[in-house]
């Protein structure tokens, strides 16, 4: 065994053992003494977004997993389980996302379009009207089928690729469900995909 490699190996083992000792005797006791139950629940929920380390799966804490985050309006801010922002920030964020966004509620009523230039024009007068009234007769059956599949849990998304005004476009329809999995509406997301086509064409040259 190479002497330098062995020294590095032994030093690494020693540092790992020192860290384990500090965690067991300093870090974890301090956490147990000072963290609230809400903080432990948030730590658990955050851990679900990472791959397990030194274990096959993350243990299930059912109470924390199923606990619903608070949503409310407070001091002119929209409070969500994953953060908070004021209406001006939310509007700017939605208008900056590089796609056309539409939301149709569970009663099939147009509730929201983000602002800005659109390949698929959406007049604001369509807000509060039934979504089917905004489609040509030959398209309406497809729209009804998609929404019915979402409402009844048969599908969660439908992708439609097309060429429009000389651009490659992806139209993605998605079922919008709440934390309990209940259907609350349908989202339509339109994105120009020429940038992706150009990127991969360059990679093949």
């Amino acid at each position: 065994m190479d002497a330098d490699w062995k020294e590095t190996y032994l030093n690494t083992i020693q540092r790992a053992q020192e860290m384990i000792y500090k965690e067991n005797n300093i870090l974890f006791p301090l956490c147990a003494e000072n963290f609230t139950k809400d903080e432990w629940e948030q730590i658990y929920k955050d851990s679900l977004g990472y791959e397990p380390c030194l274990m096959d799966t993350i243990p299930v804490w059912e109470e924390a997993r199923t606990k619903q985050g608070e949503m409310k309006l407070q001091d002119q801010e929209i409070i969500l389980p994953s953060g908070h922002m004021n209406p001006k920030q939310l509007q700017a964020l939605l208008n900056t996302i590089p796609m056309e966004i539409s939301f149709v509620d569970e009663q099939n009523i147009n509730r929201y379009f983000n602002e800005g230039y659109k390949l698929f024009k959406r007049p604001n007068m369509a807000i509060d009207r039934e979504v089917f009234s905004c489609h040509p007769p030959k398209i309406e059956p497809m729209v009804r089928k998609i929404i019915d599949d979402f409402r009844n849990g048969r599908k969660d998304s439908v992708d439609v690729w097309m060429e429009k005004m000389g651009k490659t476009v992806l139209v993605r329809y998605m079922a919008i469900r709440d934390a309990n999995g209940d259907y609350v509406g349908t989202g339509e997301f339109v994105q120009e995909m020429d940038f992706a086509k150009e990127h991969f064409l360059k990679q093949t040259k």
Side-chain angles (χ1 to χ4, degrees):
M1 180 182 293
D2 181 85
D4 290 340
W5 186 93
K6 181 177 181 181
E7 182 179 1
T8 299
Y9 166 77
L10 292 175
N11 287 338
T12 301
I13 293 297
Q14 181 180 354
R15 292 180 62 188
Q17 290 174 333
E18 291 173 351
M19 185 58 67
I20 292 171
Y21 177 86
K22 291 175 182 177
E23 289 177 344
N24 287 336
N25 293 278
I26 301 174
L27 177 62
F28 294 155
L30 284 173
C31 291
E33 182 180 346
N34 292 284
F35 284 6
T36 66
K37 184 179 179 182
D38 287 343
E39 289 171 331
W40 280 118
E41 289 175 346
Q42 188 58 56
I43 290 170
Y44 171 77
K45 288 183 178 180
D46 286 344
S47 72
L48 298 177
Y50 296 88
E51 292 296 321
C53 179
L54 303 179
M55 61 180 68
D56 294 330
T57 59
I58 296 175
V60 176
W61 184 3
E62 191 65 23
E63 180 184 356
R65 188 184 68 83
T66 58
K67 184 176 181 179
Q68 301 297 316
E70 187 177 28
M71 293 183 288
K72 61 183 179 180
L73 295 176
Q74 178 178 302
D75 298 330
Q76 298 185 343
E77 282 209 318
I78 303 166
I79 311 297
L80 299 168
S82 56
H84 56 92
M85 62 183 76
N86 61 45
K88 181 180 179 180
Q89 293 167 334
L90 178 59
Q91 181 185 33
L93 171 64
L94 291 170
N95 289 336
T96 302
I97 294 174
M99 59 181 64
E100 302 170 22
I101 301 173
S102 301
F103 175 67
V104 178
D105 71 13
E106 70 275 16
Q107 301 299 321
N108 304 327
I109 302 300
N110 293 316
R111 295 290 297 273
Y112 173 79
F113 308 138
N114 65 342
E115 303 165 69
Y117 169 78
K118 290 180 173 60
L119 284 171
F120 292 82
K121 305 299 183 185
R122 297 172 180 80
N124 283 344
M125 65 183 298
I127 295 295
D128 296 328
R129 293 173 56 191
E130 192 176 53
V131 64
F132 308 122
S133 67
C134 304
H135 291 82
K138 66 178 182 179
I139 300 296
E140 182 180 335
M142 181 191 76
V143 177
R144 287 185 179 274
K145 178 66 165 58
I146 289 173
I147 292 179
D148 187 63
D149 284 343
F150 290 169
R151 187 187 309 279
N152 292 287
R154 291 188 291 268
K155 292 183 179 179
D156 289 317
S157 67
V158 173
D159 289 352
V160 179
W161 290 84
M162 65 179 69
E163 296 289 327
K164 186 173 179 65
M165 298 177 61
K167 300 178 182 295
T168 300
V169 178
L170 170 62
V171 182
R172 173 165 290 174
Y173 301 94
M174 299 188 70
I176 310 299
R177 307 188 192 280
D178 63 17
N180 296 317
D182 296 326
Y183 175 80
V184 297
T186 292
E188 181 189 51
F189 307 92
V190 179
Q191 186 172 18
E192 296 180 18
M193 300 301 291
D194 283 345
F195 74 94
K197 182 172 24 176
E198 293 170 1
H199 170 77
F200 286 108
L201 284 175
K202 290 178 182 178
Q203 299 298 314
T204 59
K205 291 181 179 179

